[in-house]
């Protein structure tokens, strides 16, 4: 508690706005650690957010997400844009920290002051994203990043959560990995805005592209003017096709702006964030009641048959919201 109070949040935010990496790192650490100062941090950041373009990058393990992310960073830096990367890694079962360390794999950008890379642990959170990712995105946004790349773990069907956190979702696939079937199972076809067939120099790349285009056309109910996902080939390890990926992202960004969808997506994202924070707060307050006489009394009434569980839950929530819990 004493350490938290020694943090000058206003000064830290001001330093982050100047692009100082240590200040950005400290703010994200406060977010990840659910610091008591988190509310103050978010309040200080709020006036400086809403400018960055957030790109989610997802796909099954082995398709080259980190290599593709690094190649995109290179392309955006060449265009003079400041880039932030949140690489969401699996958690260590011992420390809770990130295991894979994408900062090591993207070492070529480590000395570039226009790039900030942060690995975040999922800490058991389903969906391939750390629970603190939305707040970390706010930190990078306020720190002046023009583009924020959020690379997810790649764990299967729950990967679709990235679509709720990004302006544009990029789905990576690779030939010979059965990605077409996996994409259909995971519902990724519904969430991808841009599909990239990476490692396109391998046998089967043409077939993967054809299969993707075929599946995207099946049962298509898009109205005139709706976005039709783009399929792009790339060999990220050699930088081939990366400019085509950036062009597809720019095209989708323009479409989002033109149709008012960018504002709509961000509005939905903000609403979900508020809901998540509210539900988490309520859950924590209810958890504090475990062993409390009021919760015990409700359980006794349920067992006695004088109260049903739904009525008991309503009574508990009412009490918590009213501040009685």
């Amino acid at each position: 508690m004493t350490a938290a109070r020694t943090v000058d949040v206003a000064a830290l935010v001001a330093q982050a706005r100047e692009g100082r990496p240590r200040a950005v790192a400290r703010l994200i650490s406060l977010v990840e650690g659910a610091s008591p100062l988190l509310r103050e941090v978010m309040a200080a950041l709020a006036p400086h957010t809403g400018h960055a373009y957030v790109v989610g990058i997802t796909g099954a393990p082995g398709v080259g997400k980190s290599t593709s992310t690094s190649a995109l960073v290179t392309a955006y830096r060449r265009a003079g844009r400041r880039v932030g990367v949140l690489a969401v890694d699996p958690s260590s079962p011992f420390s809770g920290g990130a295991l894979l360390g994408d900062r090591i794999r993207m070492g070529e950008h480590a000395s570039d002051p226009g790039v900030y890379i942060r690995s975040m642990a999922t800490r058991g959170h389903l969906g391939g994203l750390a629970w603190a990712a939305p707040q970390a995105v706010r930190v990078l946004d306020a720190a002046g990043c023009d583009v924020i790349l959020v690379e997810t773990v790649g764990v299967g069907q729950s990967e679709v959560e990235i679509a709720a956190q990004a302006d544009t979702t990029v789905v990576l696939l690779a030939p010979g990995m059965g990605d077409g079937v996996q994409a259909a199972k995971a519902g990724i076809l519904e969430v991808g805005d841009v599909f990239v067939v990476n490692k396109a120099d391998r046998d089967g790349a043409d077939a993967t592209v054809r299969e993707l285009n075929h599946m995207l056309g099946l049962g298509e109910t898009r109205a005139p003017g709706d976005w039709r996902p783009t399929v792009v080939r790339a060999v990220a390890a050699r930088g081939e096709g990366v400019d085509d990926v950036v062009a597809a992202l720019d095209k989708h960004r323009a479409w989002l702006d033109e149709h008012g969808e960018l504002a709509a997506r961000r509005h939905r994202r903000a609403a979900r964030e508020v809901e998540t924070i509210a539900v988490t707060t309520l859950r924590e307050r209810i958890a504090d009641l475990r062993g409390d006489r009021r919760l015990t009394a409700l359980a006794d009434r349920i067992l006695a048959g004088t109260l049903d569980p739904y009525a008991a839950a309503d009574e508990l929530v009412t009490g918590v919201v009213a501040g009685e819990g």
Side-chain angles (χ1 to χ4, degrees):
M1 191 70 170
T2 304
R5 286 181 175 174
T6 62
V7 177
D8 186 338
V9 171
L12 208 54
V13 169
Q15 291 168 11
R17 295 275 298 152
E18 293 171 0
R20 299 191 191 180
R22 293 185 67 179
V24 177
R26 187 72 187 280
L27 287 171
I28 294 181
S29 293
L30 292 174
V31 166
E32 282 194 287
S35 166
L37 293 171
L38 185 54
R39 291 175 184 272
E40 186 180 345
V41 168
M42 288 299 112
L45 292 174
H48 310 295
T49 59
H51 309 291
Y53 175 43
V54 183
V55 178
I57 301 174
T58 187
V63 297
K65 290 191 297 295
S66 293
T67 304
S68 298
T69 300
S70 183
L72 282 172
V73 171
T74 299
Y76 278 125
R77 289 300 293 143
R78 221 168 29 231
R81 302 189 194 182
R82 294 189 65 192
V83 184
V85 178
L86 286 181
V88 184
D89 286 340
S91 302
S92 163
F94 303 105
S95 68
L99 275 177
L100 299 182
D102 287 81
R103 284 172 294 183
I104 297 173
R105 287 176 290 175
M106 298 182 203
E108 63 186 285
H109 304 295
S111 60
D112 186 344
V115 179
Y116 184 87
I117 299 171
R118 176 73 173 229
S119 291
M120 297 183 69
T122 58
R123 304 194 180 193
H125 182 70
L126 293 178
L129 290 175
W131 72 271
Q135 287 77 36
V137 166
R138 287 180 181 275
V139 173
L140 294 178
D141 187 359
C145 290
D146 300 302
V147 179
I148 299 172
L149 306 176
V150 183
E151 178 198 328
T152 69
V153 175
V155 291
Q157 295 190 17
S158 55
E159 278 299 280
V160 296
E161 184 178 318
I162 184 60
Q165 303 294 344
D167 298 323
T168 297
T169 299
V170 177
V171 177
L172 285 171
L173 303 98
M177 298 184 67
D179 289 298
V181 175
Q182 184 60 32
K185 283 183 179 178
I188 281 181
L189 290 177
E190 284 72 33
V191 304
D193 299 305
V194 175
F195 290 84
V196 178
V197 178
N198 190 32
K199 306 182 182 181
D201 53 342
R202 289 184 176 180
D203 290 341
D206 291 343
T208 301
V209 171
R210 281 196 305 270
E211 184 180 5
L212 257 178
N213 280 313
H214 174 67
M215 288 193 297
L216 288 168
L218 286 176
E220 195 168 280
T221 57
R222 296 180 182 87
D226 282 356
W227 175 257
R228 189 186 192 282
T230 306
V231 180
V232 184
R233 303 166 187 256
V235 184
R238 298 204 298 258
E240 297 174 9
V242 177
D243 288 341
D244 293 334
V245 177
V246 172
L249 291 173
D250 288 344
K251 185 177 179 181
H252 185 246
R253 171 66 189 267
W255 179 87
L256 290 170
D257 282 329
E258 182 183 347
H259 292 80
E261 182 60 21
L262 184 63
R265 288 189 179 195
R266 291 180 174 181
H267 189 277
R268 289 194 294 269
R269 193 157 74 222
R272 276 190 296 267
E273 190 175 356
V274 171
E275 181 182 354
T276 298
I277 293 171
V279 169
T280 300
T281 301
L282 186 59
R283 185 181 296 120
E284 289 172 350
R285 292 177 64 180
I286 289 176
D288 289 341
L289 289 178
R290 287 174 187 163
D292 185 278
R293 58 179 177 78
R294 284 158 292 188
L295 190 55
T296 302
L298 289 171
D300 288 342
R301 289 165 63 190
I302 291 172
L303 292 175
T306 59
L307 189 69
D308 68 87
Y310 286 92
D314 289 342
E315 192 171 322
L316 179 62
V317 170
T318 299
V320 169
V321 171
E324 297 172 8

